[in-house]
Amino acid sequence: TDRLHKSGFKMHATLLRHMFHLVQMNQVTVPLFDPATAPPGQTNPAFLRDHISNLLITSFPNVTRAEVSKFVDGMFDLKMDLPTFKTHLRDFLIQLKEFSAGDNSGLFQEEKELEARKQAEAAHAQRSAVPGLLKPSEIDNDL
């Protein structure tokens, strides 16, 4: 949750989603916990859920146990695609109030770039529909 990591949000979200889904689908066969101290029947998904919940609750006392539980359940949701996962993660980060006081624009960078690209393409298409509005350097000669 370091403000300097906003630029890597897309990559971090992708990696987190992949790692949580690997654990949830039991692809990680080595125990993530100490089998000697763990209760019998402990599984990697259950351990990771409890461990992450405890870390978040102790690190962020302003967030309730119900909010943390909802967030952790969403992290392990196998039906969640990457854009939905990023939104889920972004919403929780803003809810933590770690980012809400500062500038949150870095968390929405990918969406802003996509919107700007769509607007530029629409403007170019509109100008190309009227002869003489495009500069010679903007004309696509690959026809």
Side-chain angles (χ1 to χ4, degrees):
T1 59
D2 187 351
R3 296 182 202 296
L4 298 174
H5 294 134
K6 286 184 196 176
S7 62
F9 179 74
K10 179 182 177 185
M11 179 188 61
H12 292 147
T14 304
L15 290 173
L16 274 174
R17 178 179 174 267
H18 184 69
M19 289 188 299
F20 281 123
H21 287 188
L22 285 176
V23 171
Q24 183 65 21
M25 293 184 300
N26 291 318
Q27 298 278 327
V28 180
T29 56
V30 207
L32 299 174
F33 50 90
D34 183 12
T37 60
Q42 177 79 317
T43 63
N44 281 339
F47 169 77
L48 193 57
R49 280 176 188 260
D50 292 342
H51 184 70
I52 289 173
S53 294
N54 290 335
L55 280 175
L56 291 172
I57 289 169
T58 56
S59 297
F60 304 101
N62 59 324
V63 181
T64 66
R65 189 172 291 276
E67 292 169 334
V68 168
S69 177
K70 180 182 173 187
F71 171 68
V72 172
D73 287 344
M75 298 293 275
F76 284 91
D77 186 0
L78 294 175
K79 295 176 274 183
M80 203 177 279
D81 60 350
L82 184 59
T84 309
F85 185 86
K86 287 191 313 188
T87 301
H88 180 70
L89 186 60
R90 186 183 301 125
D91 289 347
F92 186 72
L93 289 173
I94 292 171
Q95 182 182 6
L96 287 178
K97 308 250 188 301
E98 283 286 316
F99 287 99
S100 63
D103 180 23
N104 295 325
S105 61
L107 297 175
F108 299 94
Q109 186 67 29
E110 183 183 0
E111 287 82 359
K112 286 181 181 178
E113 289 173 359
L114 180 63
E115 184 63 30
R117 191 171 32 246
K118 284 182 181 178
Q119 287 178 353
E121 288 172 0
H124 185 279
Q126 186 178 19
R127 287 193 338 245
S128 65
V130 179
L133 285 183
L134 289 179
K135 297 177 192 173
S137 62
E138 294 177 330
I139 297 174
D140 186 17
N141 291 331
D142 295 337
L143 298 175

